[in-house]
Amino acid sequence: MAMHGPLRLFIKSPGMDERVYDMDAGEVTIGRDAAVEIPVEDRTLSRRHCRVYVGADGWRVTDLGSRNGTFLNGNPILDDRLEEGDRIELGETKITAYLPKGEMTTAAQEADLEAILQRAMKSPKARSASVVGRRREIRALTHLMELNEKINALRDEDQLLEGVLDAAIELTDAGRGFLLLKEEDHFIVRRARLPHHRDLTDPDGSFSVSVAAEVIREGKSVLSEDMQMDDRFEGTASVANLKLRSLVCVPVHARDSVLGAIYLDNAFEKGTFDGWDVRMLESFASLASIAIRNARERREIAMRRREAVRQSRRIERLNERLKKALRIRTNALRRAREDLAKQADELGLKYSYGQIVGRSPAMKRVLRLVDRVTDLMIPVLIVGESGTGKELIARAIHFNGPRRRARIVGENCAAVPETLMESEFFGYERGAFTGAHRDHAGLFEQAHEGTLFLDEVGEMSLDMQKKFLRVLEEGEVRRIGAKAPVSADFRLVSATNRDLGEMLRAAHFREDLYYRIAGVVIELPPLRERKDDVPALVAHFMEESAAQNGGLRLDPAAMDLLVAYEWPGNVRELRNEVLRLRALQTGGVIHAEHLSSRILAYRPPDPEEPVEQGLKAMVEDLERRVIRAALLRHGWNKSRTAAELGLSRLGLRKKLERYGLDSEQPPKAGI
């Protein structure tokens, strides 16, 4: 049978340890010359004694005209083929040929060893010299089979590793043993044992790390009969410090990689191990590798099974939580619908207003009026202080009305600069002016067949009011730069926090436009006139952010202060205060001391308190409070405040200085 796989040569020369050579090249020369591939210090060898090479039928050895000849299994040869277990004799040097086959099953190991014995007995001289070796191999083979059965019977990985190392020590009569396994880019000592199944205490620093690292890195065995005299380890600190003598270290292969190494040594005797031990230990390492990998696979399968069970139980718990949460939300939604229906019945309303919180008498009057005008196409003007919810009313009118399937387009007239107002409302054609790179539909066109909501309509200039009135009268709009008008059919809902009647008298708002937009006027009461709605609004705003902040509630004292406060910023100010409390308080109860300083400092007037001030002081106090409330409504904008109060900017500034309001800073929203 021709063998073309790798070849390993165990070379033993007089006065030298047995060496192991792995044949990586297809040809090597053996001789006494230092320039040959395998130099051997033996005076009985010629300088170029023989050559080992790969022929057509496998590995072959040929004599190179040596002085003392080349012998194969005791017979002189000129050129012959090598087989497993052949012994080459060159003078006093003995070479054993071994062809590694990698991992093999137990049956394959037995067949391989039996074939070695059969070939070793083919010559009379070999038969007479191999009786002892044959008995040794038969005993080792039997022992190896028994050890393999033992380690395969072990199911626990820790017990398996101990069994593998104990078997290797028993197989080679080693003095100590270490089982090393790779962990990413390094290796660790998984087991360190002595003969008779004893643990080696404190294994760190007890073996040559450099030898183990080389075996694991290169994947090749290392054998030394006497490390103290072996020039390969000259200068190795661990060898000198530990005074090691005999050593054998073989890799544990795992398919295409190295799983680790079995490291055996004897610190007191030299010549404990030879080439036969290397071969036997490598065969055993192949069996051990299979057992270790099987144990690890069983462990991984068990871990995956446990993880699957854990995840399954976790999913079941999450499903139960989701079902419970769904039941709670379903019941809450059902109750909310029932409450809305009940409230609508109580108020006699046609539509529901779930987004509008508040059932005070003042809000009931507002909702009844909204309910009556929703189905009508008449323009609606919503008036009220800043933050009272004018946009919510506008949206309720749109989404409950006949145009709810179309768009609602909203714009704050105070937020659009005067120079851009015409282009924003009317739109423009491409190229109509510098920067008009594309056609743009204005707000009137965008709201076609829907609702146009104009907030702060009182801030519109007189020129824009005139153009706006023309659109309302004609129902058409012409873009800037366009030649033909387009239809603009929309429902108009306007809103303002200014007194348009006063603006009419001051000629700041067109009377004809006022009657066009004020078909029905809905006045929203300030929050201080519907304090019964404060607890409901607080609960609503707390619920808005409950998902982010968890459970949180107000104590009665804090709620009393919130109800008593005058709220110049109305619902918007209240919402910002609640959001501030939720952001700063992450759990538990909100107490009175957590409220903003302006709320804590507020003291409502006591109607039963005797008047100790004169009429002038009372008038001044009232004037100061009116001016401060107007400043808060207009975000501390002095021009708008002066216009609302009918004062000049100089007159307002004098009053601010008089009442000490000029040094007061406007409160920050939500702080």
Side-chain angles (χ1 to χ4, degrees), residues 67 75 83 112 131 187-188 323 340 401 418 553 620:
R67 183 175 65 253
N75 299 316
E83 295 186 354
D112 184 52
V131 174
F187 64 86
I188 61 173
K323 289 178 182 178
L340 288 174
E418 179 66 27
R553 63 184 180 86
E620 289 179 348

Side-chain angles (χ1 to χ4, degrees), residues 306-330:
R306 289 194 296 269
E307 179 64 17
V309 172
R310 189 181 70 83
Q311 292 293 341
S312 176
R313 291 175 179 172
R314 180 173 176 270
I315 291 173
E316 290 177 0
R317 291 194 298 270
L318 291 176
N319 283 336
E320 289 299 322
R321 292 178 185 175
L322 290 174
K323 289 178 182 178
K324 183 177 179 180
L326 181 60
R327 287 196 299 270
I328 293 173
R329 289 183 177 272
T330 301

Side-chain angles (χ1 to χ4, degrees), residues 16-44:
M16 294 182 61
D17 293 340
E18 187 172 35
R19 304 288 182 90
V20 181
Y21 289 92
D22 288 311
M23 299 282 290
D24 296 325
E27 174 182 339
V28 295
T29 302
I30 304 173
R32 188 162 47 86
D33 194 336
V36 300
E37 287 82 0
I38 302 180
V40 179
E41 295 182 3
D42 184 354
R43 294 182 178 180
T44 61

Side-chain angles (χ1 to χ4, degrees), residues 33-91:
D33 194 336
V36 300
E37 287 82 0
I38 302 180
V40 179
E41 295 182 3
D42 184 354
R43 294 182 178 180
T44 61
L45 266 65
S46 300
R47 292 186 177 277
R48 294 171 55 83
H49 198 101
C50 69
R51 180 167 64 96
V52 178
Y53 66 99
V54 177
D57 55 352
W59 288 99
R60 302 184 67 86
V61 57
T62 181
D63 185 74
L64 298 178
S66 63
R67 183 175 65 253
N68 294 323
T70 299
F71 293 81
L72 182 61
N73 298 320
N75 299 316
I77 63 156
L78 292 178
D79 186 90
D80 205 345
R81 182 163 58 87
L82 288 174
E83 295 186 354
E84 177 70 16
D86 281 350
R87 293 178 63 86
I88 304 171
E89 299 175 14
L90 311 176

Side-chain angles (χ1 to χ4, degrees), residues 439-491:
D439 294 345
H440 173 68
L443 296 175
F444 298 135
E445 281 189 71
Q446 295 177 32
H448 182 62
E449 297 184 347
T451 300
L452 176 63
F453 172 59
L454 297 181
D455 197 7
E456 304 294 348
V457 70
E459 303 299 327
M460 191 180 293
S461 67
L462 289 172
D463 182 59
M464 189 62 195
Q465 292 177 32
K466 181 177 63 175
K467 296 177 181 179
F468 183 26
L469 177 62
R470 184 172 181 179
V471 172
L472 295 179
E473 290 178 344
E474 298 180 357
E476 293 181 339
V477 60
R478 179 180 295 176
R479 294 183 184 180
I480 299 174
K483 296 180 179 180
V486 295
S487 177
D489 176 22
F490 53 82
R491 180 175 189 174

Side-chain angles (χ1 to χ4, degrees), residues 245-355:
R245 306 295 287 188
S246 303
L247 178 142
V248 60
C249 185
V250 300
V252 179
H253 291 279
R255 297 186 177 93
D256 297 331
S257 62
V258 177
L259 184 66
I262 299 176
Y263 177 106
L264 306 174
D265 67 15
N266 192 320
F268 306 106
E269 297 181 9
K270 65 178 182 178
T272 303
F273 312 109
D274 56 15
W276 186 89
D277 290 304
V278 174
R279 296 169 57 194
M280 186 61 64
L281 197 58
E282 286 179 341
S283 299
F284 175 72
S286 298
L287 298 175
S289 172
I290 297 173
I292 292 173
R293 293 206 310 274
N294 289 340
R296 288 187 170 183
E297 290 175 358
R298 287 195 298 269
R299 181 187 64 186
E300 291 176 359
I301 291 173
M303 290 176 61
R304 287 196 293 268
R305 185 180 295 114
R306 289 194 296 269
E307 179 64 17
V309 172
R310 189 181 70 83
Q311 292 293 341
S312 176
R313 291 175 179 172
R314 180 173 176 270
I315 291 173
E316 290 177 0
R317 291 194 298 270
L318 291 176
N319 283 336
E320 289 299 322
R321 292 178 185 175
L322 290 174
K323 289 178 182 178
K324 183 177 179 180
L326 181 60
R327 287 196 299 270
I328 293 173
R329 289 183 177 272
T330 301
N331 293 334
L333 181 60
R334 177 179 53 79
R335 288 194 298 269
R337 287 174 176 171
E338 292 174 355
D339 291 344
L340 288 174
K342 182 179 179 181
Q343 291 170 1
D345 291 340
E346 291 174 352
L347 295 173
L349 301 178
K350 180 178 180 181
Y351 299 107
S352 63
Y353 301 93
Q355 297 297 320

Side-chain angles (χ1 to χ4, degrees), residues 518-648:
V520 174
V521 178
I522 299 176
E523 296 185 14
L524 292 185
L527 188 56
R528 59 182 173 274
E529 294 180 7
R530 55 184 186 106
K531 291 190 174 182
D532 293 347
D533 291 335
V534 171
L537 288 167
V538 170
H540 174 73
F541 296 143
M542 294 280 282
E543 183 65 24
E544 276 187 346
S545 55
Q548 291 80 18
N549 299 87
L552 195 64
R553 63 184 180 86
L554 274 75
D555 71 353
M559 183 61 76
D560 290 343
L561 289 175
L562 293 178
V563 172
Y565 184 60
E566 64 180 6
W567 298 110
N570 293 296
V571 179
R572 183 181 296 115
E573 184 183 2
L574 175 61
R575 181 176 184 273
N576 288 343
E577 177 67 16
V578 174
L579 294 181
R580 185 192 72 85
L581 293 172
R582 290 218 58 104
L584 299 181
Q585 303 297 320
T586 57
V589 181
I590 297 175
H591 298 285
E593 59 266 22
H594 298 142
L595 301 178
S596 298
S597 58
R598 67 181 184 279
I599 300 175
L600 295 175
Y602 176 72
R603 293 292 180 270
D606 188 353
E608 298 182 0
E609 183 180 354
V611 178
E612 298 179 357
Q613 309 177 65
L615 180 60
K616 179 180 179 182
M618 294 177 62
V619 171
E620 289 179 348
D621 181 65
L622 177 61
E623 188 175 35
R624 180 184 181 281
R625 293 176 60 188
V626 170
I627 293 173
R628 186 177 185 276
L631 285 168
L632 288 172
R633 282 195 299 274
H634 293 291
W636 231 256
N637 186 300
K638 296 181 178 60
S639 297
R640 294 182 182 177
T641 302
E644 178 183 334
L645 298 176
L647 299 172
S648 64

